[in-house]
Every structure is written in structure tokens, then in C-alpha cells.
């Protein structure tokens, strides 16, 4: 007798459905397999190298981006400034502003003037030698008298003098952007208005 529960001829029992691995499992398998083998170690090293290159590039780009927020400004020392009252300066050479402004303030019988402390040979800063009553350049030996006039060494002319004037309060204002010169073989500008304060 035919069994009514028999499967139809030609049909086979369906295999149990296979569960699909999750994405995380799939990648986990790949990584764990690959890192166990030599090839996997090479891949891991390459991956680190690529990550480092990407992070490095991002870092450089970030720095370039941040650079835009900072102005390309040169902070130069002030060229116009006050140095005090004429009564603050006695006769002779005053060196108290040499480091701050690179000047000397000189008072003589004619008035007060300001020498720019730059050697006219190649631009070094001479030293004031009070015991020798002269400026001496340490670079090539040029010598200048107390008024900044050259008398020895390779300096071609006296040191320049800065523009000076009194402000409404009576303080001396120095302007280094405007200087007076005495070029070799030419008339001196040292008596021009603004080259000296007559006191
Ligand atoms: S720079 Fe002063 S003597 Fe040369």
C-alpha cells in the first residue's frame, strides 16, 4: 500500500537554512586570518603606513588652514618715540637708550641731538668709550668723536642724526625714519631744522 506520507518522487529533503554571518563577523574573520599569517602581517603593516600617511596629510592641511588666521606681519621696533625732557640730559653722551632704540643722546654747548648708533662702514653698533672720549666700532675699528664724526678707520662719513623736536608738553620726540647726514664731500645736514634742539 502506498504511504501517503511519502515524499513525491524526485524531491529531496531541503537542507537546513544556513545562517548568514554578520558583517562584523565577516570582517573579523578576514582580519584575524590575515593577521595570523605572514601575508596578514604585511597587510597590517601597510594598513598602518597608509593610516599614518593619511593622518600626516590631514595634519599638514590643518596647520595650513590655521595659518590663515595669523597675519604675516613683521613687528619692527618703533621709529618715533619720546625720550624725556631736555633737562633730563646733562652734557656729554647719554647711552641709556642704546639697547632699546639704538641711539645716543648728546648734549653740547649748541643743544641736544640724537645720533643713530649705526656705523657708516657696514652697520655695526659702535661702543661709547667714555675713558677715550670716542665711539669705537668693534667690527673694523672705525672711530668717531663724541659728536659722531668719523676720524679713523674705514667709516666713510659721520654717523647719522635722527630728527628731534619738542612735543606740546616739552618732551623730546625722536623720529628715526627721518635722519640727517653728512655725506663725504657734501654739505652737512647737521644744522638743518630738526637735526638739533637748541637749548
Ligand atoms: S662696520 Fe664699523 S668699522 Fe666696519
Amino acid at each position: 500500500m502506498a504511504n501517503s506520507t511519502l515524499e513525491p518522487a524526485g524531491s529531496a529533503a531541503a537542507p537546513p537554512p544556513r545562517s548568514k554571518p554578520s558583517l562584523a563577523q565577516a570582517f573579523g574573520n578576514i582580519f584575524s586570518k590575515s593577521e595570523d599569517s605572514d601575508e596578514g602581517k604585511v597587510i597590517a603593516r601597510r594598513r598602518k603606513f597608509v593610516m599614518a600617511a593619511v593622518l600626516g596629510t590631514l595634519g599638514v592641511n590643518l596647520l595650513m588652514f590655521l595659518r590663515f588666521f595669523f597675519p604675516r606681519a613683521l613687528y619692527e621696533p618703533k621709529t618715533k618715540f619720546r625720550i624725556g625732557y631736555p633737562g633730563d640730559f646733562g652734557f656729554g653722551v647719554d647711552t641709556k637708550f642704546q639697547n632699546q632704540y639704538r641711539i645716543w643722546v648728546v648734549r653740547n654747548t649748541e643743544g641736544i641731538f640724537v645720533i643713530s648708533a649705526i656705523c657708516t662702514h657696514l652697520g655695526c653698533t659702535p661702543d661709547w668709550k667714555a675713558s677715550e672720549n670716542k665711539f669705537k666700532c668693534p667690527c673694523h675699528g672705525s672711530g668717531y668723536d663724541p659728536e659722531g664724526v668719523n676720524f679713523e678707520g674705514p667709516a666713510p662719513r659721520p654717523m647719522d642724526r635722527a630728527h628731534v623736536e619738542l612735543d606740546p608738553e616739552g618732551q623730546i620726540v625722536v623720529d628715526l625714519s627721518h635722519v640727517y647726514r653728512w655725506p663725504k664731500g657734501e654739505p652737512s645736514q647737521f644744522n638743518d631744522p630738526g637735526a638739533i634742539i637748541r637749548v
Side-chain angles (χ1 to χ4, degrees), residues 119-126 137-142 144 153-155:
C119 179
T120 55
H121 179 222
L122 292 176
C124 293
T125 302
C137 183
C139 294
H140 312 99
S142 289
Y144 301 83

Side-chain angles (χ1 to χ4, degrees), residues 114-185:
V114 167
I115 299 175
S116 170
I118 300 173
C119 179
T120 55
H121 179 222
L122 292 176
C124 293
T125 302
D127 301 311
W128 168 242
K129 306 278 188 189
S131 60
E132 300 171 52
N133 202 35
K134 70 177 185 181
F135 296 99
K136 188 72 175 170
C137 183
C139 294
H140 312 99
S142 289
Y144 301 83
D145 71 15
E147 298 186 351
V149 178
N150 57 310
F151 65 90
E152 63 180 356
R157 60 184 166 85
M159 288 184 279
D160 299 339
R161 295 186 186 178
H163 179 85
V164 280
E165 63 188 24
L166 295 178
D167 72 4
E169 294 174 6
Q171 286 209 56
I172 301 170
V173 178
V174 178
D175 185 357
L176 280 172
S177 68
H178 183 176
V179 295
Y180 300 86
R181 297 202 164 106
W182 188 357
K184 198 171 185 177

Side-chain angles (χ1 to χ4, degrees), residues 42-62:
V42 171
I43 291 170
R45 272 201 297 271
R46 280 185 192 155
R47 193 182 305 132
K48 282 180 190 164
F49 176 78
V50 170
M51 283 299 289
V54 169
L55 289 176
T57 305
L58 286 176
V60 169
N61 283 318
L62 179 64

Side-chain angles (χ1 to χ4, degrees), residues 83-102:
I83 56 172
Y85 296 92
D88 297 337
F89 300 95
F91 277 88
V93 175
D94 191 317
T95 60
K96 68 179 170 223
F97 294 108
Q98 178 177 326
N99 290 336
Q100 188 176 3
Y101 294 122
R102 209 178 177 189

